[in-house]
Amino acid sequence: MTGQLARIVLAAFLVAFPASGAPAGYFDFGPNVTFETGDTWISAGRRYRIYGLQSCLRQTFYTDRSGNKRDCGEASIAVLGAYVRDTHPLCAPVATQADLTFVTCYATVGGERLDLAMMMITEGFGFASLSSDGLPVYPAYAVAEQKAREARRGLWQFDDVQHPSILLSHAAKNARMQK
């Protein structure tokens, strides 16, 4: 799709679905959620995860500017919670797997629709999810992650932040070796 055609399609989408109402199939992120991680939550007994977003893992740490160890996973949860509270995102299911529904969410800020996962990643509090073959599940998120890293935004400002996909990859490799 050419750049011009992509802009036309995006403009048509935005006109077709005014910012004041949710498009068919979307639902409110909702105020009564329990965050499991900075990308996964429970609402009304159902688990949801933002497609393409990988948050920091709980019990992984970074050292803040004061020299204190901080839980990276808790930082991701705090930022996602703030975005939800401040922007009231809408989400739509994209895939279901056992007890988990993957969703895509958008927030309306200043009359513009913004991808919630992209917001987390560009601000440095989320990471691009990788597939089992190590490739980004959504390449645009990987590009945004690289830009956030280069600009040292969010968690990237701390030298010892650990990329969760690398940690998960090492854990999977170790599990395979132990079999």
Side-chain angles (χ1 to χ4, degrees):
M1 186 179 295
T2 67
Q4 179 66 19
L5 183 56
R7 284 190 293 278
I8 291 169
V9 170
L10 177 61
F13 175 80
L14 293 175
V15 169
F17 302 112
S20 62
Y26 279 78
F27 60 90
D28 289 325
F29 196 110
N32 300 319
V33 302
T34 302
F35 291 103
E36 288 186 339
T37 67
D39 59 36
T40 305
W41 70 95
I42 297 173
S43 178
R46 183 84 186 135
R47 287 180 70 228
Y48 297 93
R49 180 169 182 190
I50 301 174
Y51 180 79
L53 176 64
Q54 174 64 58
S55 66
C56 262
L57 305 177
R58 284 183 161 182
Q59 299 300 305
T60 61
F61 299 90
Y62 65 91
T63 307
D64 70 15
R65 292 189 179 160
S66 299
N68 299 309
K69 290 282 188 191
R70 301 285 183 194
D71 187 309
C72 197
E74 293 296 326
S76 287
I77 291 171
V79 172
L80 178 61
Y83 280 146
V84 169
R85 181 191 67 236
D86 294 346
T87 67
H88 311 287
L90 299 173
C91 303
V94 294
T96 302
Q97 179 181 40
D99 72 334
L100 181 65
T101 300
F102 288 90
V103 297
T104 184
C105 303
Y106 73 86
T108 303
V109 178
E112 291 188 46
R113 288 201 172 123
L114 303 174
D115 178 332
L116 184 58
M118 187 66 83
M119 290 168 60
M120 292 283 294
I121 294 167
T122 59
E123 292 304 315
F125 290 96
F127 306 86
S129 292
L130 302 180
S131 64
S132 59
D133 59 3
L135 297 174
V137 298
Y138 186 58
Y141 291 166
V143 171
E145 178 186 303
Q146 183 60 35
K147 288 180 180 180
R149 176 184 279 190
E150 289 169 359
R152 298 186 59 83
R153 283 192 213 109
L155 296 167
W156 291 116
Q157 67 187 292
F158 306 110
D159 293 331
D160 59 348
V161 70
Q162 297 176 309
H163 196 295
S165 293
I166 293 170
L167 295 172
L168 291 169
S169 174
H170 288 306
K173 183 179 177 183
N174 289 339
R176 283 191 306 269
M177 290 173 58
Q178 292 178 1
K179 287 185 178 180

